[in-house]
Amino acid sequence: LANKIHSQEIFTKQEKELAKLFSKRELTYKNVLEASENVRIQTGLKSQFTAGIQRSIDYMSIIFPIVKKNGLPMDLAYLPHVESSYNARAGSKVGALGLWQLMPSTMRSLEGKQAVYQRTDPSVSTKAAMKLLKMNYEKTGSWPLALTAYNHGANGVVRAIEETKSRDLCKIIEHYDSPSFKFASSNFYAQFLAARKVAMKKYKTIASTQNNDSQLKQNLLTATGGTLR
C-alpha cells in the first residue's frame, strides 16, 4: 500500500479497505510504512492458547466466585490466559509463579510470608490477584490502567499519569517516554483484550457443542459482576 501511494498506482479492494484506516491527510507513504512496522506477529501460540482454554474450565468454579465476591469485573478471569495460559505451575525466569504469575515479594505483601509457597494454589493466588488488581484500580482510576499496572507496576503507571497529565492509556502510550515502559507494558492491555475476545469465542463454541458441560455455562456464560471500564 505504501509503495502504491508513492507511485500513485490503483489500489486493490483489500488495499482500499486498509486505506480507510487512515484519514486523507494521514494517508501518506511515510505514515503507512511506519504503521506496517508497528505490526507484530508471533506464531506458534494457537495450540498453547487452546490448551489453556481447556485447562481454564477446570478452574472456573474456583476463580469466578472469588472475583464476584470482590465485586470486580468478571472479565478479569481472562487475565491468566495472558499470564500463564492457565497453567497453575507456570513460572517465569524472574521468579513469578502460578496462574496469575505473582512475584514472591508481591505475594508476601498481600497474603503474608507463608503464602509465597502457595502461589500455585488457584484459590490463594486468585484472592491475592484480586487484591492487587483492586489496589491498582484505586491508584489509577481505570481498568485499562489497572491492568497495565499489573504488568508495569502501579507506581510506574502513576508516574506515567503524572508526566503525561492524562489517564487515557492511548495518550500515555504515545507520549510517555520511559526505559521500562516498552513493548510488553504498553501492549499488555491490548493483549488482554485480544485474549478475552478469542477465549469468549472458544468458550461459546464449547458450550454450544457440549451439552453436558454445565460448569462452563454456569460459571462463564451466565456470570455477572463489575464492569470493565
Side-chain angles (χ1 to χ4, degrees), residues 100-193:
W100 303 89
Q101 289 295 281
L102 294 165
M103 293 292 288
S105 58
T106 303
M107 194 64 164
R108 189 181 301 113
S109 65
L110 292 170
E111 297 292 336
K113 186 176 180 180
Q114 291 302 314
V116 172
Y117 306 102
Q118 296 177 294
R119 286 177 292 157
T120 58
D121 184 302
S123 179
V124 175
S125 62
T126 300
K127 289 175 183 177
M130 292 308 105
K131 284 185 180 180
L132 179 57
L133 286 162
K134 184 180 287 187
M135 289 166 57
N136 288 350
Y137 181 78
E138 290 170 352
K139 288 182 179 179
T140 63
S142 78
W143 282 113
L145 294 179
L147 282 158
T148 300
Y150 196 87
N151 175 269
H152 186 65
N155 291 336
V157 172
V158 169
R159 281 195 299 273
I161 293 170
E162 292 172 348
E163 287 194 23
T164 60
K165 295 180 174 56
S166 175
R167 293 182 184 273
D168 184 321
L169 178 57
C170 291
K171 290 182 179 178
I172 289 174
I173 292 171
E174 185 175 356
H175 299 293
Y176 183 51
D177 186 16
S178 170
S180 61
F181 193 73
K182 296 303 180 183
F183 184 88
S185 294
S186 62
N187 286 278
F188 189 76
Y189 184 63
Q191 290 181 46
F192 168 77
L193 293 179

Side-chain angles (χ1 to χ4, degrees), residues 75-100:
D75 281 357
L76 295 179
Y78 292 103
L79 186 54
H81 283 300
V82 178
E83 288 290 337
S84 65
S85 290
Y86 260 98
N87 180 356
R89 305 198 70 82
S92 75
K93 59 184 179 182
V94 296
L97 191 64
L99 293 175
W100 303 89

Side-chain angles (χ1 to χ4, degrees), residues 16-32:
K16 287 179 181 178
E17 291 300 314
L18 287 171
K20 289 179 182 179
L21 299 173
F22 301 83
S23 68
K24 289 184 178 181
R25 181 173 59 84
E26 293 174 335
L27 189 60
T28 65
Y29 174 83
K30 179 182 178 182
N31 286 346
V32 173

Side-chain angles (χ1 to χ4, degrees), residues 71-76 137 142-144 189 196 224-229:
L72 298 177
M74 300 307 295
D75 281 357
L76 295 179
Y137 181 78
S142 78
W143 282 113
Y189 184 63
R196 180 181 67 169
T224 58
T227 303
L228 190 68
R229 289 180 180 176

